[in-house]
Amino acid sequence: MEIKANDSRLKSWVAVPPHSDFPIQNLPFGIFTTTQTKPRAGVAIGGHVLDLAYLHEHGFLDGLGMPAGIFNQKYLNDFLALGRKKGREVRERVSELLRHDNDKLKSHQVAALVPMEKVQMLLPVRIPNYTDFYSSEEHATNVGTMFRDPKNALLPNWKHLPVGYHGRASSIVVSGTPLHRPKGQTKPADAEFPVFSPTQKLDFELEVAFITCAETTLGSHITTKEAEENIFGLVLFNDWSARDIQTWEYVPLGPFLAKNFGSTISPWIVTLDALEPFRVKGPEQFPHVLPYLSFEGNRNFDIALEVLIQPEKGEATTVSRSNFKYMYWNMAQQLTHHTVNGCNIQVGDMYASGTISGPSPGSYGSLLELTWNGQRPLHLSDGSERKFLLDNDTVIIKGHCDKDGVRIGFGACAGKVLPAL
Ligand code: MN
């Protein structure tokens, strides 16, 4: 698909620092507030946020059929509900207005552009539903090797369907929101009975989540061909996990309190349109999938991912480098499988990939794998060791794409671990 706003030659009259996540080729959507303004929609450009409500009120979006007040809201849901085509049109218009040879918006820049230091980013969508998949073969293999049987690490269903579970939407928070170490039941290996205490094995999970922009009716389904038209964009996602609680609770129905105490997302929704140039072929799928899961074209995306741990008084250390392209099951297959039984989707639903581990130990997407369940501690740059997360550690996930001199990124997905309450 040819999208003008993605042209690598485009330059903006707004200064974009080198290595910024937000050049004119990105233009992700988010919700922000300042001390002067109520929550409203914005687009990131360089070190600024472009105020969409201002653009709308001053006629810069005329002709696009945007309903009154659509950007003057706490969430982007109503905008997303207009569909991907409308989102594409707004992104195209914003791109035109920001181009170096377009003067129209320049005289309004003081009012329309807010420096990022002056904004607080909020949760971009009201999230009706959250699903977490388990779609990285390397992650599933590592976990299966550790907890079951190295020879049969993948369960028999794994290569036939994208395994997933329904998570908790209410506890998803935006980057910068601290979380308390959760408490729960665990059963120490040598104990007869479980104990109740703060988790001793708090972990992160490196994930990417897609957000849907359509409402379907119960009983209908989405095909792999249609799937991406229902996906507005992507955010980085930290699916915090308490491994000791998980080990005790997860059989037979899967994750519950080990996961639902919190998940953190990056604040900017990077559109699938902006990611178009970064499509790549995914891993070969064998055995062949059932016909309803077959697809055409490149459905994976080359997004370099990084996880850093920053102790209370120290520098951040990179502990993992992975890539979204490693996903065995792609988003089109995930959404198709999710709805094949007639399950309806809603605007703002969050669908996380599952932990994204790559082939090498440095590319594993959780401490569980990086330290092999605590057996091989990591060393941070301040000389300290980590088996799992300590109180006051901040976990930062970053992600970016890079091609033809264009680098687009997601902004940080960061969260600090506070002591248990
Ligand atoms: Mn997960």
Side-chain angles (χ1 to χ4, degrees):
M1 190 193 317
E2 197 58 40
I3 301 174
K4 238 199 271 166
N6 292 346
D7 193 320
S8 61
R9 292 163 300 185
L10 294 181
K11 298 254 182 286
S12 177
W13 52 265
V14 179
V16 177
H19 306 295
S20 167
D21 279 347
F22 309 118
I24 192 169
Q25 288 82 2
N26 192 350
L27 306 179
F29 293 85
I31 294 285
F32 73 100
T33 179
T34 70
T35 50
Q36 329 287 323
T37 61
K38 283 192 179 158
R40 50 180 59 208
V43 165
I45 176 75
H48 287 82
V49 179
L50 180 63
D51 185 337
L52 282 176
Y54 182 91
L55 291 196
H56 193 197
E57 281 154 23
H58 289 79
F60 290 103
L61 305 178
D62 282 1
L64 298 179
M66 288 296 116
I70 191 138
F71 296 116
N72 235 324
Q73 302 187 27
K74 245 181 106 176
Y75 296 111
L76 288 168
N77 293 59
D78 289 351
F79 171 56
L80 264 54
L82 300 175
R84 252 192 88 175
K85 191 165 164 285
K86 280 288 164 197
R88 194 174 290 143
E89 286 171 16
V90 171
R91 182 169 168 268
E92 267 316 326
R93 177 67 63 86
V94 169
S95 170
E96 283 166 24
L97 290 166
L98 290 173
R99 276 172 213 174
H100 74 284
D101 54 357
N102 188 336
D103 284 339
K104 266 190 220 157
L105 189 59
K106 268 190 179 171
S107 58
H108 291 255
Q109 59 179 297
V110 175
L113 286 169
V114 189
M116 281 191 180
E117 311 85 72
K118 294 203 169 153
V119 309
Q120 188 192 349
M121 296 306 298
L122 304 174
L123 207 58
V125 281
R126 184 178 58 248
I127 306 162
N129 301 286
Y130 156 47
T131 296
D132 195 22
F133 285 97
Y134 190 57
S135 289
S136 151
E137 181 175 359
E138 289 82 359
H139 172 68
T141 303
N142 287 337
V143 174
T145 301
M146 244 179 278
F147 293 118
R148 281 191 308 272
D149 173 10
K151 287 193 203 95
N152 297 293
L154 291 183
L155 287 168
N157 60 6
W158 201 90
K159 291 210 163 176
H160 295 280
L161 55 86
V163 170
Y165 71 96
H166 287 121
R168 184 79 190 168
S170 68
S171 55
I172 298 177
V173 297
V174 74
S175 177
T177 311
L179 285 170
H180 288 277
R181 177 178 296 273
K183 291 185 280 198
Q185 277 197 30
T186 61
K187 191 174 162 297
D190 49 358
E192 190 181 351
F193 296 108
V195 297
F196 178 76
S197 72
T199 174
Q200 301 300 303
K201 291 190 172 182
L202 184 60
D203 201 354
F204 60 79
E205 288 191 338
L206 166 61
E207 307 196 17
V208 169
F210 67 82
I211 297 171
T212 46
C213 55
E215 203 90 18
T216 58
T217 47
L218 186 62
S220 69
H221 68 277
I222 295 169
T223 65
T224 55
K225 213 179 179 123
E226 300 158 343
E228 287 181 356
E229 209 50 28
N230 296 283
I231 298 173
F232 190 81
L234 272 54
V235 292
L236 303 175
F237 193 99
N238 181 354
D239 183 25
W240 303 92
S241 300
R243 300 301 179 193
D244 42 3
I245 297 173
Q246 187 176 357
T247 308
W248 172 232
E249 77 174 1
Y250 88 108
V251 178
L253 287 187
F256 190 32
L257 304 193
K259 304 275 187 176
N260 72 1
F261 60 91
S263 311
T264 305
I265 63 167
S266 53
W268 294 105
I269 307 178
V270 176
T271 62
L272 220 48
D273 287 332
L275 293 167
E276 195 61 40
F278 308 98
R279 280 185 188 276
V280 287
K281 196 169 163 4
E284 206 66 49
Q285 294 186 331
F286 192 83
H288 297 301
V289 297
L290 284 166
Y292 81 93
L293 286 171
S294 65
F295 63 95
E296 282 170 16
N298 292 340
R299 301 288 176 155
N300 280 46
F301 291 85
D302 184 359
I303 305 174
L305 300 165
E306 186 182 3
V307 184
L308 303 97
I309 296 178
Q310 181 166 25
E312 172 81 328
K313 291 187 186 91
E315 281 180 13
T317 303
T318 298
V319 296
S320 173
R321 286 181 204 277
S322 187
N323 196 303
F324 191 46
K325 71 182 176 189
Y326 296 135
M327 301 308 296
Y328 187 87
W329 296 102
N330 59 56
M331 295 181 281
Q333 291 177 309
Q334 289 171 335
L335 193 58
T336 296
H337 182 67
H338 202 300
T339 61
V340 75
N341 62 348
C343 175
N344 53 327
I345 68 164
Q346 294 181 292
V347 174
D349 281 353
M350 187 88 42
Y351 301 83
S353 56
T355 307
I356 304 163
S357 292
S360 62
S363 65
Y364 294 165
S366 64
L367 284 175
L368 177 71
E369 296 162 88
L370 288 164
T371 71
W372 214 251
N373 201 12
Q375 290 174 42
R376 305 169 199 154
L378 291 179
H379 298 271
L380 303 188
S381 61
D382 68 352
S384 62
E385 272 190 1
R386 288 296 179 282
K387 294 175 178 169
F388 290 95
L389 295 168
L390 299 182
D391 287 348
N392 301 310
D393 280 350
T394 299
V395 176
I396 306 156
I397 299 179
K398 294 180 184 174
H400 75 272
C401 308
D402 210 331
K403 192 182 171 187
D404 300 333
V406 173
R407 180 196 189 283
I408 71 169
F410 284 75
C413 170
K416 184 175 178 178
V417 179
L418 300 179
L421 283 170

